[in-house]
Amino acid sequence: MTADAVANSALDTAVEGQGSGAAPGVRHETFTIGFPLAAPPSAVFEAFADTPVRRRWFKLPGRHVSYHHDFTVNGGETASSVFTVPDARPERLAYASRYLDITPGARIVYAYTSSVDDVPRWASLVTVELHPEAEGTHLRWTEQAAFLIPSAEPEHDFPHLRGATRLRLNGLAAALAAAGQ
């Protein structure tokens, strides 16, 4: 085996998280959700940009919530809370994002991390595209997730993320309806 082949084999092992002392392997998943909204793209875009409106549909579960939103390229959003369920210890949830691209009325691209008890669990790149339709807007949400640390039930991590996104989009539709859009 050549020196290059040995180096590449070692790199592959380290990347897969199988080397001595290496972090666990990262699992990658991608999903796209198409979501019709009965509001024009400008109103849907504004529901992302306007902090009070965004707070109506973007929330972390739990109590002791903190939140900050700066809707500018290189700005971002942070949120944290303490989530409790009966017969389990509380979990500290945290979300931090950075906006990478904002095209008014058309596209938003951002990256974010989600942490539980100060441990980053996954990182994602999200692209939100807004396409005008006769009835309003067709929102296309594409998320590319890297699951860094699996939960106790790792087979539920990806369905949980996809389901939570659908719930948020339902909340977006409700916020637009409440605003008369």
Side-chain angles (χ1 to χ4, degrees):
M1 189 181 282
T2 68
D4 284 340
V6 170
N8 285 338
S9 175
L11 178 60
D12 289 344
T13 299
V15 168
E16 293 299 319
Q18 298 168 358
S20 169
V26 174
R27 190 174 95 231
H28 295 89
E29 300 281 357
T30 298
F31 65 93
T32 298
I33 297 172
F35 200 83
L37 293 160
S42 59
V44 176
F45 181 84
E46 197 57 31
F48 279 84
D50 184 271
T51 299
V53 174
R54 183 154 171 85
R55 289 296 294 143
R56 288 187 206 124
W57 65 273
F58 178 85
K59 298 179 181 183
L60 290 180
R63 302 179 356 214
H64 307 293
V65 174
S66 70
Y67 183 79
H68 175 74
H69 187 221
D70 174 12
F71 191 74
T72 59
V73 172
N74 292 321
E77 185 173 35
T78 58
S80 65
S81 68
V82 176
F83 181 68
T84 56
V85 295
D87 302 321
R89 67 176 186 75
E91 293 180 316
R92 291 182 321 282
L93 307 179
Y95 167 94
S97 73
R98 176 169 301 258
Y99 292 107
L100 305 171
D101 177 63
I102 298 173
T103 304
R107 183 179 63 227
I108 302 162
V109 179
Y110 65 96
Y112 77 91
T113 58
S114 282
S115 300
V116 177
D117 293 331
D118 302 319
V119 176
R121 296 282 300 286
W122 72 87
S124 284
L125 175 65
V126 176
T127 303
V128 177
E129 299 167 279
L130 307 175
H131 301 283
E133 291 188 334
E135 307 80 37
T137 301
H138 178 80
L139 181 147
R140 181 179 159 104
W141 180 290
T142 302
E143 186 157 349
Q144 300 163 291
F147 291 92
L148 308 171
I149 303 293
S151 70
E153 296 176 325
E155 67 277 7
H156 295 291
D157 293 347
F158 180 61
H160 172 79
L161 175 59
R162 193 175 48 224
T165 301
R166 281 204 170 277
L167 288 173
R168 280 207 178 104
L169 293 175
N170 288 338
L172 169 60
L176 287 165
Q181 295 293 326

